[in-house]
Amino acid sequence: MEPHRRLAEAARARVRALPNITVHTGVAQRLPVADASVDVAHARWAYFFGPGCEPGLAELERVVRRGGVAFVIDNDATRGTFGDWFRRSLPSYDPLAVERFWSGHGFTRRSVDMGWRFERRADFEAVVRIEFPPDLAQEIIDGHRGLEVDYAVNLWWREY
């Protein structure tokens, strides 16, 4: 499922030769699939604000079959270098409220440590400029040495 038409077209091209894969254009609140027709739902970096995602969660209730599982991967803003940068970019973000949200909707959390590793400084700088507002991106670039960044994420999951 991809809400952006051009990205959905690119995804279709990537999986064209793979059997049993269909890429739909649509949004989480209105999935163009039948009731109880999904075995595994996976969303990454689409729900990391928690509150406000209720329409998408209601849609998961509709489409995920009994025994199916939904996975949500999001930023863990409580840990790591990237978590610090993330909180600086969104000072109103409350990671504990997000954790309460997911737990309150029956999801279980697993913390995962990962990282960015770049071969060239220019690549690191380009990614930082994509992820953060210009002023903060420059502060990050000026203050971070090296080509690696520790990055923590949360894997939230729920069986239906």
Side-chain angles (χ1 to χ4, degrees):
M1 187 63 52
E2 171 57 51
H4 304 286
R5 183 184 52 78
R6 294 174 103 182
L7 293 176
E9 290 168 1
R12 283 186 197 100
R14 280 194 310 275
V15 301
R16 188 176 331 261
L18 300 174
N20 301 319
I21 295 179
T22 303
V23 176
H24 296 281
T25 303
V27 296
Q29 303 89 328
R30 290 179 309 282
L31 299 172
V33 297
D35 294 358
S37 65
V38 173
D39 294 315
V40 177
H42 168 252
R44 62 187 170 112
W45 289 283
Y47 281 113
F48 49 75
F49 296 105
C53 297
E54 293 86 353
L57 295 182
E59 190 67 343
L60 285 176
E61 290 278 352
R62 180 184 74 79
V63 304
V64 177
R65 69 165 179 79
R66 184 175 302 248
V69 180
F71 296 95
V72 175
I73 299 172
D74 72 3
N75 295 306
D76 181 348
T78 67
R79 304 183 300 120
T81 301
F82 187 88
D84 291 340
W85 296 344
F86 185 81
R87 285 192 319 276
R88 287 174 60 196
S89 72
L90 295 166
S92 63
Y93 181 80
D94 182 350
L96 297 178
V98 172
E99 184 174 333
R100 286 190 302 272
F101 173 85
W102 289 111
S103 297
H105 283 85
F107 282 76
T108 300
R109 180 177 67 137
R110 177 171 187 132
S111 297
V112 179
D113 294 320
M114 54 182 268
W116 288 347
R117 290 178 187 84
F118 299 93
E119 292 183 17
R120 300 176 335 157
R121 181 72 182 184
D123 295 334
F124 163 76
E125 292 179 9
V127 170
V128 168
R129 286 191 174 99
I130 290 169
E131 293 288 330
F132 299 101
D135 291 345
L136 178 56
Q138 193 59 54
E139 286 179 34
I140 291 168
I141 289 166
D142 292 344
H144 186 79
R145 299 292 168 239
L147 299 175
E148 295 187 10
V149 176
D150 58 302
Y151 194 147
V153 299
N154 289 317
L155 169 61
W156 294 98
W157 62 274
R158 176 182 168 195
E159 185 174 335
Y160 287 79

